Amino acid sequence: MARRTTAFFAALISLVSVLNLSLVVMASTAGDPDCRPIVAGDTDQIQFALNLEFLEAEFFLNGAIGSGLDSIAPSLAKGGPPPIGARKANLDPLVATIIEEFGYQEVGHLRAIITRIGGIPRPQLDLGVKNFAKVFDDAVGFKLIPPFDPYADTNRYLLASYVIPYVGLVGYVGTIPNLVRETSRSLVASLLGVESGQDAVIRTLLYERANQTVQPYNLTVAEFTNRISGLRNKLGACGIKDEGILVPLFLGAENRTNSNILSADPNSLSYARTPPEILRIVYGSGSEHKPGGFFPNGGGGDIAKRFLPKAN
């Protein structure tokens, strides 16, 4: 009991330090036009989401069954290159079943978008250990030894899963108010419903493990989620839109709970992000103009391409 209590308070202390950084970011970016919605048509906005759908499909499918989109529905990739470094993860039977289902759901999402509004070639994705290791080093603020391997075991794979789907979720929340056509809003609302469910399942599985130490590191599951959320807030540069699975009471639902199984604002409404914020996060660079991270060559579609450096 004492160990669990100590781990809980350690996670809260870690979160407070992360929030202090996020509050500084919020103050320095208030009114920044880079935090405002962009001007784009329905088709471009929805096609932008394909970047995240491709990323999730490849990570979940490879993690669960050891092969990706090209083995399930190759035509959806539109000739785009296969991902770098993706492989089967060492998952327990329950989580393997869940992640496999998520992977197939992402195939459905890709098909729905491509069938209704048209697709884009799958962008080059980097799902290799080296890329994830950098993300987690950046999140904790020091070099993890050995490097973080998302495929090594269930806890590390779930933490890596925590990194990806939530970004797509808040992107959909930010997209819906800017869509003009009723059919577009209906499509994205339906996608958001399933993305939200996936994120809730991942966060619940992590909450169940909140006080477990992630081997071989001296950090708990909860501490890792706090650090990852802090990194995303820092990279997004538009204030606090991300919280770990344990929070101080002043951030809990109605200021009455330390649990944070669903990340939400003071009124328990979902946070929203714009495409530039999302690119800053998934590129890992803090700039929508500087590709890297999960998208070494940049994202696909007109919105992502408009931010890429122009060739001389």
Side-chain angles (χ1 to χ4, degrees):
M1 179 67 178
R3 288 183 63 187
R4 289 177 63 85
T5 302
T6 300
F8 175 80
F9 282 107
L12 288 185
I13 291 169
S14 168
L15 175 62
V16 170
S17 65
V18 166
L19 287 174
N20 285 338
L21 173 61
S22 296
L23 289 170
V24 171
V25 171
M26 177 183 284
S28 66
T29 58
D32 188 332
D34 289 343
C35 296
R36 298 171 188 169
I38 65 168
V39 177
D42 285 14
T43 296
D44 286 347
Q45 290 186 76
I46 299 173
Q47 285 184 337
F48 176 80
L50 285 170
N51 289 290
L52 281 301
E53 297 288 0
F54 278 124
L55 183 64
E56 294 169 36
E58 296 292 2
F59 185 60
F60 290 147
L61 288 173
N62 279 281
I65 64 175
S67 58
L69 188 62
D70 290 337
S71 69
I72 304 295
S75 64
L76 297 179
K78 300 289 182 183
I84 298 167
R87 67 170 189 254
K88 196 172 190 291
N90 183 25
L91 303 176
D92 67 48
L94 172 64
V95 172
T97 299
I98 292 169
I99 296 301
E100 182 177 1
E101 179 180 336
F102 286 1
Y104 297 140
Q105 289 172 346
E106 298 304 330
V107 174
H109 287 183
L110 289 167
R111 184 183 301 108
I113 294 173
I114 292 168
T115 300
R116 297 189 194 188
I117 67 163
I120 60 173
R122 175 180 53 196
Q124 180 66 74
L125 304 171
D126 188 347
L127 292 168
V129 172
K130 185 176 180 180
N131 181 50
F132 274 104
K134 183 181 184 305
V135 171
F136 278 81
D137 286 351
D138 290 346
V140 301
F142 57 88
K143 191 173 182 62
L144 293 169
I145 300 174
F148 190 94
D149 181 352
Y151 305 106
D153 56 45
T154 296
N155 278 359
R156 276 181 275 187
Y157 188 85
L158 286 172
L159 285 167
S161 298
Y162 180 87
V163 170
I164 297 173
Y166 181 71
V167 181
L169 185 164
V170 292
Y172 280 139
V173 175
T175 297
I176 290 175
N178 302 312
L179 297 173
V180 176
R181 299 191 299 268
E182 182 180 348
T183 54
S184 298
R185 294 193 297 271
S186 175
L187 171 61
V188 175
S190 297
L191 294 165
L192 174 59
V194 175
E195 293 289 334
S196 299
Q198 291 178 353
D199 186 64
V201 170
I202 291 167
R203 292 179 70 99
T204 300
L205 290 168
L206 289 168
Y207 184 78
E208 185 181 35
R209 298 160 165 80
N211 295 321
Q212 292 182 16
T213 299
V214 181
Q215 299 298 338
Y217 314 111
N218 191 32
L219 290 167
T220 65
V221 168
E223 288 172 315
F224 267 112
T225 66
N226 293 340
R227 301 294 184 93
I228 294 164
S229 290
L231 176 65
R232 289 191 295 215
N233 285 330
K234 178 183 175 183
L235 293 172
C238 291
I240 298 176
K241 298 186 177 181
D242 207 315
E243 302 157 350
I245 57 174
L246 290 176
V247 295
L249 281 175
F250 73 87
L251 284 177
E254 296 303 298
N255 308 130
R256 293 173 181 267
T257 175
N258 294 118
S259 65
N260 197 43
I261 296 170
L262 301 180
S263 183
D265 74 7
N267 291 314
S268 292
L269 302 178
S270 293
Y271 293 109
R273 289 197 185 275
T274 65
E277 290 176 70
I278 290 170
L279 292 173
R280 293 170 209 154
I281 293 168
V282 297
Y283 288 174
S285 64
S287 170
E288 60 269 40
H289 306 288
K290 186 178 179 182
F294 295 108
F295 295 86
N297 300 328
D302 288 347
I303 291 177
K305 288 179 178 178
R306 79 167 67 164
F307 294 109
L308 291 176
K310 298 293 188 293
N312 293 327

